[in-house]
Amino acid sequence: MTKEPKISAPKKPRSWKQDPEAVKADILAAAKVEFAKHGLSGARVQDIADQIQTSKRMIFYYFGDKEGLYRAVLEEVYGSVRQAERDLNLDGFPPMEALRKLVEFTFDHHANNRDFIRLVMIENIHHGKHMMDVESLMITNTAAITQIERICDAGVKEGVMRTGLSPLMIHWQISAMSFFNVANQSTFSYNFGNDLFDEAGQAALREQVVQSILASVAA
């Protein structure tokens, strides 16, 4: 089973006058953990402040209120995964290899960033209403579809992918399998055993997801 990376608070509180952006980053890192663990309603701003040795007043100065902080966390985590996808620089790879790398990245990202999965689950409980208030997310997340669209266009042009593909559906398929792997691990393991969630099982499942996506687009 993949272990989650731990986020440790700085040993000494940062001075907002010396490095305000670093202070904001510390707040967001602590808030991400708190919201992922307790949800929007259960998270306490005072606990977030205590973790990084700052004050509620400082948090409200930067983010307005608890919901403003929660929206900022959503913006940060989605922005982070989209930036990581861009950093793959897939345009230089053959289409099938580019798609393989994207699927592998998504599977690994979700497995190694379980707080991201929890935050998405929490926002779904709220019917996505807080995401609607973050205008940048529409642009940020549209980039994921545009990237797949470029891969598909290149694949069709080279004759290795079939025509009529929907980049949106492909994104849905990749996300669905990678997300389920984390979101439903506890209940799936309880019902069917833990074979798919040890190191060997995850490696086999990762390759199965890749092959499933590649087969679905092949000419």
Side-chain angles (χ1 to χ4, degrees):
M1 186 188 306
T2 307
K3 293 183 178 179
E4 285 184 74
K6 293 183 179 179
I7 298 175
S8 57
K11 294 180 180 179
K12 294 182 180 180
R14 299 183 194 266
S15 168
W16 67 272
K17 292 182 179 179
Q18 293 176 338
D19 198 346
E21 291 305 313
V23 172
K24 289 177 67 175
D26 288 343
I27 293 170
L28 285 172
K32 181 174 74 170
V33 175
E34 182 72 9
F35 284 128
K37 186 175 182 180
H38 299 291
L40 174 58
S41 58
R44 296 181 67 249
V45 176
Q46 185 61 60
D47 290 342
I48 296 169
D50 291 344
Q51 287 180 45
I52 55 173
Q53 302 177 55
T54 190
S55 64
K56 289 173 64 175
R57 181 180 177 183
M58 181 63 70
I59 292 175
F60 292 146
Y61 171 79
Y62 281 117
F63 300 102
D65 54 21
K66 186 166 82 166
E67 288 202 0
L69 177 58
Y70 173 73
R71 288 192 296 270
V73 167
L74 289 177
E75 185 175 23
E76 194 276 332
V77 296
Y78 273 102
S80 178
V81 66
R82 298 287 91 91
Q83 182 59 54
E85 288 170 350
R86 288 192 293 272
D87 290 344
L88 293 172
N89 294 318
L90 298 177
D91 290 341
F93 291 93
M96 281 299 200
E97 186 178 351
L99 187 56
R100 165 180 278 278
K101 287 182 178 296
L102 181 60
V103 178
E104 291 173 341
F105 164 80
T106 305
F107 189 92
D108 293 343
H109 173 274
H110 289 7
N112 292 318
N113 293 274
R114 291 164 184 265
D115 282 349
F116 172 75
I117 302 300
R118 295 188 187 107
L119 287 164
V120 174
M121 293 169 70
I122 289 163
E123 183 57 10
N124 273 287
I125 291 172
H126 293 283
H127 305 291
K129 69 176 184 178
H130 301 96
M131 291 183 66
M132 297 176 191
D133 294 329
V134 185
E135 293 182 4
S136 65
L137 282 182
M138 180 64 71
I139 299 172
T140 298
N141 289 323
T142 299
I145 310 303
T146 303
Q147 185 178 49
I148 297 175
E149 186 174 27
R150 291 198 304 271
I151 294 172
C152 290
D153 287 346
V156 170
K157 188 175 294 186
E158 292 185 16
V160 296
M161 293 184 182
R162 60 186 177 84
T163 60
L165 291 169
S166 167
L168 183 61
M169 287 185 181
I170 295 170
H171 177 70
W172 185 94
Q173 289 175 299
I174 297 170
S175 297
M177 288 187 278
S178 300
F179 193 94
F180 185 96
N181 180 54
V182 179
N184 290 60
Q185 179 177 331
S186 296
T187 52
F188 195 96
S189 296
Y190 178 80
N191 286 320
F192 305 110
N194 201 46
D195 290 351
L196 291 181
F197 301 103
D198 60 18
E199 186 174 351
Q202 283 288 281
L205 189 59
R206 178 181 188 258
E207 182 60 22
Q208 178 69 25
V209 171
V210 169
Q211 292 298 331
S212 175
I213 296 298
L214 295 184
S216 73
V217 304

